[in-house]
Amino acid sequence: MDPSEVKKDLYPLIEPYDTGFLKVSDVHTLYYEQSGNPQGHPVAFLHGGPGAGTSPANRRFFDPEFYRIVLFDQRGSGRSTPHACLEQNTTWDLVADIEKLREHLDIPEWQLFGGSWGTTLALAYSQKHPDKVTGMVLRGVFLLRKKELDWFYEGGAAAIFPDAWERFRDFIPEEERNCFIAAYSKRLTSSDPTVQMEAAKRWTTWEMMTAHLIQNNDDINLGEDDKFSLAFARIENHYFMNKGYLPSDSYLLDNVDKIRHIKAFIVQGRYDVCCPMMSAWDLHNAWPEAELKVVPDSGHSAYEVGISAELRSSTDKLRDMLRK
């Protein structure tokens, strides 16, 4: 597509026409909402983190006249309860939740839109339920492999953001710096709430300081938001400590054949430090049918101008294919 044909603006902010809570286990209840066209083509927004939750701006990637837009907060995140809870919180619990929500809303099949951890979840869900997915948009691909976690949490990305890394690193005593994920896990699950909160703020701030090509103060300030940072850091760290509950390091790549028939668009910032382009490239090589768009002047965030434009373009392309 000619760059002049890509609309840089997202769709206007809209309000939901339906909100609710769905009890998915004896522990967890999920917040969900619907906006756009109640008779439109359903699309599920899968947020990042895990633990980040959704926001009103997430509705803006979709044509509200065409799409029935479903947002929900994953277990322990956002408005879902109990907040920041790690019990019964695994990838496969979330995959089951997506399916329960689809059935609850009486949706036969739907499109998926995921960014960062949302790509991991979109791949896991679609590989489990390939007949329920009509298309996918994946931004900032994260396959939850050891080399990706090592890059971001064990010193790789520190080569680019040494100033941001120091505050993350210096919270951990030198004798525990052989594995920062494990060291932070010890503190994020501490019985001392003060220790938990300080660890959560440092973990969250590290990620927010690296999420944009040019640092964004609004995102960085989320590191000082007690509620957001506690869920974000605890749940993210919990998943990474447990290798995403995936059976093998290459599980999502090994199961691409199950979803090869699904039309998919991959949008990747060239200078994404959180989820480096190697993962999008590996996924595209395993799944060449998925269209890869590399944005040359962007990092990780969905709200950088080039990324936003390509995400809107991708949902519009799927819309136009469905209209034919």
Side-chain angles (χ1 to χ4, degrees), residues 173-187:
E174 286 192 24
E175 62 270 19
E176 293 184 65
R177 293 180 186 173
N178 61 314
C179 182
F180 283 95
I181 292 176
Y184 267 90
S185 175
K186 178 180 173 182
R187 289 154 180 83

Side-chain angles (χ1 to χ4, degrees), residues 10-84:
L10 295 177
Y11 286 98
L13 188 62
I14 55 174
E15 293 300 315
Y17 64 79
D18 173 50
T19 63
F21 289 89
L22 176 64
K23 191 165 182 62
V24 290
S25 79
D26 56 345
V27 173
H28 290 277
T29 299
L30 305 188
Y31 167 83
Y32 70 87
E33 64 174 51
Q34 299 187 83
S35 58
N37 181 353
Q39 281 75 50
H41 186 78
V43 57
F45 181 94
L46 306 180
H47 69 69
T54 57
S55 70
N58 300 151
R59 307 167 196 147
R60 299 186 61 202
F61 294 106
F62 313 97
D63 178 349
E65 294 184 2
F66 179 81
Y67 283 110
R68 176 183 174 185
I69 306 159
V70 180
L71 272 59
F72 72 98
D73 293 333
Q74 296 158 28
R75 294 189 180 201
S77 307
R79 286 154 285 189
S80 294
T81 59
H83 183 69

